[in-house]
Amino acid sequence: MRLLLFLLICQCAINSINAYSASSPSVILLMADDLGIGDLGCYGNRTLRTRNIDRLAEEGVTLTQHIAASPLCTPSRAAFLTGRYPIRSGMAAFSRVGVFLFSASSGGLPSEEITFSKLLKERGYATALIGKWHLGMNCERSNDFCHHPLSHGFDYFYGLTVTNLRDCKPGQGSVFLKGVQKSSVIPLQITGITLVSLALVHYIGLLRVPFRALGYCFLIATISLVVLIFFFYHFRHLNCFLMRDHQIIQQPLSYENLTQRLTKEAVQFVERNTDAQFLLVLSYLHVHTALYASKNFRGKSKHGLYGDAVEEMDWSVGQILDVLDKYNLSDKTLIYFTSDQGAHVEEISSSGEVHGGYNGIYKGGKSTNWEGGIRVPGLLRWPGVIQAGAYLDEPTSNMDIFPTIVKLAEAQLPSDRIIDGHDLMPLLQGKVAQSNHEFLFHYCNAYLNAVRWHPGNSESVWKVFFFTPNFSPEDSNGCYDSHVCFCHGRFITWHDPPLLFDLSRDPEEKVPLTPKTERRFYEILRIIHLAIENHTRSLHAVPNQLSWDNLLWKPWLQLCCSSLFQSCYCDHDSERNLLEVNLG
C-alpha cells in the first residue's frame, strides 16, 4: 500500500513537472525583413551558409505553409503583434502607399489594439523589442508616443521606429526620387504655366489680375517647393535614427557594426533576465535595403552584399542560441524565426547587383499575394516539448503566434474582439493533424485579393485570385517598372471568373484551373464566396491609420535630438560604446 502511494506521489510530481515545462516559457521571436523562403538552407538553399537558423529547424519544427498576413511590412507586423487581420485595426491602406515612410507621420497601431507583449507583460514577463518597429510613433505631439513600442507592452526598446530605406544610407539611391519626380513634374509645370500666363494677360491688358493675388500664388508655390526640397535633402537626418526607449541616441543612423549592436542589446536583455520569464522580439533590419554587412562578413558569401547580410543575420541568431545555452535557458525558451513577408525581387542596385532575395519555386514576391510574397519561413524550437526535426505541411499564419504564446504564458485571450490566429501547440505537439485555418484571406492593402481554402476532408489547398498585379515587364516575375506592385487601377487585372489553383498540386501557381480541368470549379467558388460573406460580416469600420492624412510628414511631430540648425545630429550610441570599451 505504501509503495502504491509512493508511486502515485511520484507520478503526480512528474505530471506537475511536465505541465510546468509545457507552459510559461520565456519567448524569443526572431523576425527577418524581406527574407525569401529560398534563402535558407533548411528550405533548400545550398549556397548561403545559414547553419544557426538551420539548427532551429533540426532541433524544432519547420512549417512549410507558413503564411504572412500581408505581403507588406507595416500590415504584416500589425497582424503578427495582434493576431488579427490588419484590416480589423485600420492598418491596411486604401491608397497606393501601404506602409509608413516618415517618422513624423501620425498613423500607427491604435492604442485600443491588444498586443501579445501587453498580455505577457501583465503576466510578469520582462518584454523588449530590439530592431525595427514600423508601426508608428506619435499622434498629436512630438512626445505623446501613442504608437511607440513602450505604449504597446514593451518595457524596453532599442531600434528604429520606421524602417531601413535606401535613402538612409548615402550612395544607395532613393526609393522616393523617381516617384517624386514623376508626381511633381506635372503640378510644377501647371503652376509655372499658370503664373506666367496670368502675369502675361495682366501685362497686355486682357485681364486685370491683382498683383497681391499673383504674389500670394508665387509665395505659396515657392514655399511648397522649398519645403519639399528641404525635406528630401534632409530625409536621412529626419527619418533614419536609432532610439533607446523614448530617446534618440543616434541621428542619423550609422550602419557601422549595426547588427552587432542590435545583437549585443538582445544578448544583454537575456542576461538581465536569466532568473525571470521574458519576451524578446528581435526584429532584424536585414535584409531590407539599404543592404549592409560588417567587415567580418562583407565579401564572404557567394551572393554579393545580399548574401553577406543573410549570413551576418545567421551569425546573430547563433549568438542568441549561445547565450541561452550558456545560462541553461534553452529548454525553458520557445524560439520562433520568420520573415515579415517574402523577398523583394525587384530590388536591384544602381550598379545592377541583385539586392533582393530568393523565393524558391514560388511566384512573385513582396507586395503580392502570389506565394512568393506571403509564404515565409516558419521555424519553432522548444527542446523537450516540440518534436525535433519535424515538418508541418499545413496552412499556418504569423497571426498564430499571438494565441500560441498568450496561452503558454497562461494569460487570457481577449474576449471582446475576433482573434484570427490559432494556437499552434496542438499541431506542434502532434495532438492534431490538421490546421484550424480552413480559410485564410489575403489582402492587398485593404482590398481582398485572394482566399485560401483547405477542406477538412481533403489534401487540396485551393487558392482563388480575384485580381492579380500586372507584372512589368510582362514576362518578368515582378513589377520592376514601379519597384513594387500596387493593388488597384491600371496596376491590376480583374478576373471573372476568378483564377483558381490547387496549391497541393501546383505550388508554383503556373496553371489556373478551369471548369473543364476541375469538375468542382463552381462548387469551390461557391463555398469560398460563402466564407467571404461570413468574414466580411465580421469586419467593423475603424479609423484608417494609413490614410494620406496619417501618412504625410507633419513638421510638428518631427523628433530631433539637437536642432534643425544642427541638422538633427547626435551620436550618443557610439559615445556609450566607446566609454564601455575604455572602462572594459
Side-chain angles (χ1 to χ4, degrees):
M1 184 68 184
R2 288 181 179 178
L3 178 62
L4 180 60
L5 184 62
F6 175 76
L7 291 173
L8 284 171
I9 292 171
C10 288
Q11 185 62 47
C12 288
I14 292 169
N15 290 341
S16 176
I17 291 169
N18 288 340
Y20 175 77
S21 67
S23 64
S24 302
S26 290
V27 179
I28 296 179
L29 308 176
L30 307 171
M31 178 172 278
D33 196 352
D34 291 2
L35 181 73
I37 194 170
D39 289 326
L40 302 177
C42 52
Y43 284 95
N45 192 293
R46 294 293 173 262
T47 51
L48 284 173
R49 295 166 295 188
T50 56
R51 64 182 183 86
N52 294 299
I53 298 173
D54 296 345
R55 179 183 160 193
L56 292 176
E58 293 164 7
E59 298 175 1
V61 171
T62 301
L63 306 176
T64 60
Q65 288 192 64
H66 196 47
I67 307 301
S70 171
L72 285 175
C73 306
T74 294
S76 176
R77 290 164 185 268
F80 170 65
L81 279 164
T82 63
R84 290 152 53 82
Y85 287 111
I87 190 76
R88 298 193 190 279
S89 57
M91 297 294 280
F94 289 92
S95 61
R96 184 183 300 184
V97 180
V99 300
F100 295 115
L101 298 172
F102 311 128
S103 66
S105 296
S106 58
L109 188 63
S111 57
E112 298 81 15
E113 287 300 312
I114 298 174
T115 61
F116 54 64
S117 45
K118 279 184 182 177
L119 296 177
L120 267 64
K121 182 177 180 178
E122 290 173 0
R123 292 292 299 164
Y125 277 65
T127 58
L129 173 68
I130 311 294
K132 172 177 169 174
W133 174 239
H134 211 182
L135 294 172
M137 183 161 56
N138 293 309
C139 290
E140 297 177 354
R141 302 182 310 279
S142 63
N143 60 353
D144 63 31
F145 299 112
C146 63
H147 302 307
H148 190 278
L150 298 193
S151 299
H152 283 288
F154 290 103
D155 299 318
Y156 182 70
F157 171 62
Y158 176 91
L160 280 67
T161 56
V162 192
T163 187
N164 175 30
L165 292 169
R166 285 188 176 275
D167 302 70
C168 294
K169 191 179 181 187
Q172 294 297 307
S174 171
V175 298
F176 297 107
L177 193 57
K178 186 184 290 186
V180 169
Q181 287 173 338
K182 282 185 177 180
S183 60
S184 62
V185 167
I186 293 176
L188 285 173
Q189 287 177 341
I190 292 173
T191 303
I193 291 170
T194 301
L195 288 173
V196 171
S197 299
L198 286 172
L200 186 62
V201 296
H202 177 86
Y203 179 76
I204 62 178
L206 291 177
L207 179 68
R208 307 305 297 177
V209 180
F211 274 109
R212 182 175 292 182
L214 277 174
Y216 282 140
C217 290
F218 181 76
L219 182 63
I220 291 170
T222 303
I223 291 173
S224 300
L225 185 60
V226 168
V227 169
L228 191 66
I229 293 171
F230 171 84
F231 177 76
F232 284 104
Y233 182 78
H234 291 280
F235 181 91
R236 177 168 169 252
H237 289 260
L238 296 176
N239 295 283
C240 311
F241 51 77
L242 188 66
M243 295 188 80
R244 177 177 281 111
D245 294 334
H246 290 145
Q247 182 186 4
I248 295 178
I249 56 174
Q250 191 174 66
Q251 190 174 16
L253 172 73
S254 169
Y255 288 87
E256 183 73 22
N257 295 323
L258 181 55
T259 301
Q260 280 82 348
R261 285 183 279 152
L262 295 172
T263 305
K264 179 182 176 183
E265 289 283 342
V267 168
Q268 288 178 341
F269 174 77
V270 173
E271 291 176 333
R272 291 196 300 269
N273 293 283
T274 54
D275 296 324
Q277 292 162 323
F278 62 83
L279 164 70
L280 169 63
V281 179
L282 178 50
S283 178
Y284 291 104
L285 276 62
H286 286 321
V287 281
H288 197 293
T289 53
L291 292 180
Y292 66 96
S294 63
K295 183 179 178 181
N296 291 339
F297 295 92
R298 201 175 301 126
K300 300 294 176 65
S301 79
K302 296 180 180 179
H303 290 281
L305 188 54
Y306 183 89
D308 300 342
V310 172
E311 293 185 359
E312 183 172 44
M313 179 172 60
D314 181 74
W315 164 84
S316 174
V317 172
Q319 297 299 297
I320 301 300
L321 298 181
D322 288 348
V323 74
L324 293 179
D325 290 341
K326 178 181 177 181
Y327 292 101
N328 298 315
L329 296 173
S330 296
D331 293 348
K332 304 173 186 176
T333 307
L334 172 67
I335 301 182
Y336 166 73
F337 180 90
T338 192
S339 177
D340 54 357
Q341 66 265 324
H344 192 172
V345 296
E346 295 94 346
E347 276 289 4
I348 298 174
S349 74
S350 56
S351 63
E353 181 181 353
V354 174
H355 278 189
Y358 176 53
N359 291 317
I361 65 171
Y362 304 111
K363 185 175 183 177
K366 176 179 179 175
S367 78
T368 81
N369 281 305
W370 294 112
E371 289 296 283
I374 55 176
R375 193 180 290 221
V376 293
L379 306 171
L380 293 108
R381 189 195 81 163
W382 188 2
V385 179
I386 294 175
Q387 183 182 349
Y391 288 82
L392 275 176
D393 191 28
E394 285 287 311
T396 57
S397 169
N398 64 352
M399 297 184 292
D400 296 337
I401 298 304
F402 179 96
T404 301
I405 65 175
V406 167
K407 287 187 177 180
L408 287 173
E410 299 179 338
Q412 291 295 317
L413 287 172
S415 58
D416 63 341
R417 64 199 62 206
I418 292 174
I419 301 298
D420 297 297
H422 296 288
D423 183 8
L424 286 173
M425 288 306 293
L427 263 179
L428 297 175
Q429 294 183 301
K431 294 178 181 178
V432 298
Q434 189 156 1
S435 165
N436 284 329
H437 286 292
E438 183 179 2
F439 297 96
L440 279 169
F441 301 92
H442 305 302
Y443 282 85
C444 185
N445 286 354
Y447 305 99
L448 185 60
N449 182 191
V451 178
R452 178 184 309 249
W453 176 38
H454 183 34
N457 59 351
S458 170
E459 292 184 0
S460 292
V461 179
W462 307 105
K463 187 176 178 185
V464 163
F465 274 96
F466 303 107
F467 63 85
T468 51
N470 297 329
F471 285 170
S472 54
E474 283 187 22
D475 58 348
S476 68
N477 189 40
C479 302
Y480 290 87
D481 292 346
S482 53
H483 192 63
V484 291
C485 297
F486 297 114
C487 303
H488 52 76
R490 62 186 175 85
F491 300 101
I492 63 170
T493 297
W494 285 91
H495 302 285
D496 186 18
L499 300 184
L500 175 65
F501 299 92
D502 181 0
L503 298 178
S504 67
R505 291 178 287 168
D506 182 18
E508 300 170 67
E509 297 169 297
K510 282 186 173 180
V511 184
L513 299 170
T514 67
K516 290 183 179 179
T517 58
E518 175 52 60
R519 61 180 177 81
R520 295 165 294 174
F521 184 90
Y522 289 109
E523 175 65 11
I524 293 165
L525 292 185
R526 184 187 69 80
I527 293 172
I528 287 175
H529 277 293
L530 287 174
I532 293 170
E533 289 175 9
N534 290 331
H535 169 68
T536 304
R537 280 196 295 269
S538 75
L539 301 177
H540 303 286
V542 293
N544 180 6
Q545 298 296 325
L546 288 156
S547 65
W548 281 114
D549 178 53
N550 281 325
L551 283 171
L552 291 175
W553 178 62
K554 296 179 172 62
W556 58 93
L557 297 181
Q558 184 62 54
L559 281 181
C560 187
C561 65
S562 54
S563 70
L564 287 175
F565 298 105
Q566 295 172 298
S567 298
C568 291
Y569 177 83
C570 65
D571 194 357
H572 306 309
D573 200 49
S574 295
E575 292 168 5
R576 174 174 171 165
N577 290 333
L578 183 61
L579 180 62
E580 288 177 356
V581 169
N582 291 333
L583 292 175

